[in-house]
Amino acid sequence: MKSTSAVKKPWMGLLAATLTVAAGAYAVAEVTRYAVHDRNRPRPPVVTPAAQFGQPPSDAIILFDGADLSQWQKGNGSPATWEIVGDAMTVTRKGGSIQTKRSFGSCQLHIEWKTPEGVPARVTDQNRSNSGVFFMGRYEVQVLDSYTDDDYATNKTYADGQAGAIYGSHPPMVNACRAPGQWQNYDIAFLRPLFDEKGNVVRKARITVFHNGVCVHNNLEIEGTTSHKVKAKYTPHGDGPIGLQDHGNPISFRNIWVRELPEQPYLIE
Ligand code: MG
């Protein structure tokens, strides 16, 4: 996007210049600046919301609606083999983790998931329907059966590994889980990280997560690439796929859609 402000001021050449905050092989963000109430500022495109909350608006990219797995593949590029039953897809034995064929940066994601009923009591902790949603193939919002009573009697695990956690760093602010066998949903706004030409982080990723309509992360800064038992740190990268984890535990997903989100302009200083 080029600088488009039509405000004619002597200082415009400097202040309205397109701000490139990263370059090279990594994310390139070109941010345009506008004056207050600039009437030549482009108005936002019109999006038609769905009639029902949770359904995709007109500009959404449908990632899964029950028809097929055409938007998904394994990490090695081979076809996704999760089982489709009705409008849901379910991890199958040796199905492996899957990811979108398309790459994304900043985005809004809606996804619904369900853990099975009747899981034996001996199946606990991180083996109780573990999965996860990975943004840019790196940053995991944990999926787990974390439904619990007030005594945390159902499934104990470490707080930064329960459902809704940014795995390994930030537990959800509250536990908004529904019981096994019930559909749950995440509505997530993800802001991509930006890197400079040397690969240094110039803006960390941020994430806002609603779990079953309850805000569990509010514009949270992500510490880096998700790891296990290792503190997250950043390594530079470009766009990446949205991934769904196969942890060897049964888990189902349905109604998955995404909206790509542009960089938002700044005001002229
Ligand atoms: Mg996981």
Side-chain angles (χ1 to χ4, degrees):
M1 177 169 46
K2 294 182 178 178
S3 174
T4 54
S5 175
V7 177
K8 301 301 182 186
K9 302 281 187 180
W11 35 263
M12 278 301 296
L14 174 64
L15 293 177
T18 298
L19 175 66
T20 301
V21 294
Y26 310 126
V28 177
E30 295 181 333
V31 180
T32 305
R33 295 179 183 274
Y34 291 99
V36 175
H37 304 324
D38 182 347
R39 289 187 177 276
N40 292 306
R41 185 171 179 171
R43 291 180 175 78
V46 173
V47 171
T48 305
Q52 185 179 357
F53 180 77
Q55 294 303 305
S58 59
D59 65 344
I61 298 168
I62 307 300
L63 296 179
F64 180 72
D65 62 2
D68 56 48
L69 294 172
S70 60
Q71 296 290 322
W72 300 85
Q73 62 186 5
K74 294 182 180 178
N76 62 8
S78 62
T81 57
W82 290 17
E83 183 181 16
I84 299 177
V85 176
D87 61 354
M89 61 174 168
T90 300
V91 176
T92 56
R93 281 180 62 84
K94 299 183 179 179
S97 297
I98 61 174
Q99 61 189 40
T100 55
K101 293 179 180 175
R102 295 177 60 150
S103 290
F104 299 95
S106 299
C107 62
Q108 173 188 350
L109 180 75
H110 176 88
I111 187 165
E112 301 179 14
W113 54 274
K114 181 176 71 172
T115 66
E117 296 178 283
V119 176
R122 59 180 164 76
V123 179
T124 60
D125 204 338
Q126 289 292 300
N127 287 321
R128 198 171 177 92
S129 296
N130 191 338
S131 186
V133 182
F134 285 76
F135 289 88
M136 305 188 88
R138 289 167 173 80
Y139 310 107
E140 184 185 13
V141 179
Q142 174 74 321
V143 171
L144 194 77
D145 174 7
S146 295
Y147 180 70
T148 188
D149 59 24
D150 290 341
D151 297 325
Y152 273 72
T154 305
N155 186 26
K156 293 178 180 176
T157 191
Y158 41 90
D160 62 9
Q162 71 179 75
I166 308 307
Y167 185 80
S169 64
H170 288 84
M173 291 187 283
V174 295
N175 181 343
C177 278
R178 294 192 177 118
Q182 296 186 27
W183 281 104
Q184 312 195 47
N185 55 70
Y186 284 156
D187 286 280
I188 299 172
F190 173 79
L191 181 70
R192 66 177 309 150
L194 296 173
F195 305 92
D196 66 15
E197 293 166 317
K198 296 180 180 177
N200 300 310
V201 182
V202 295
R203 184 184 72 192
K204 291 184 176 179
R206 288 183 172 273
I207 196 162
T208 297
V209 180
F210 289 84
H211 183 188
N212 297 327
V214 178
C215 184
V216 297
H217 295 294
N218 183 11
N219 195 27
L220 179 72
E221 207 169 61
I222 293 177
E223 300 293 337
T225 298
T226 297
S227 299
H228 180 56
K229 295 184 176 179
V230 176
K231 188 175 186 301
K233 65 177 183 180
Y234 279 98
T235 52
H237 61 84
D239 286 358
I242 293 170
L244 297 178
Q245 183 184 30
D246 174 3
H247 191 270
N249 313 131
I251 180 86
S252 300
F253 294 91
R254 73 176 184 186
N255 189 22
I256 309 171
W257 51 263
V258 65
R259 298 179 59 244
E260 296 178 299
L261 300 178
E263 290 290 323
Q264 293 185 279
Y266 296 113
L267 284 177
I268 290 172
E269 295 167 355

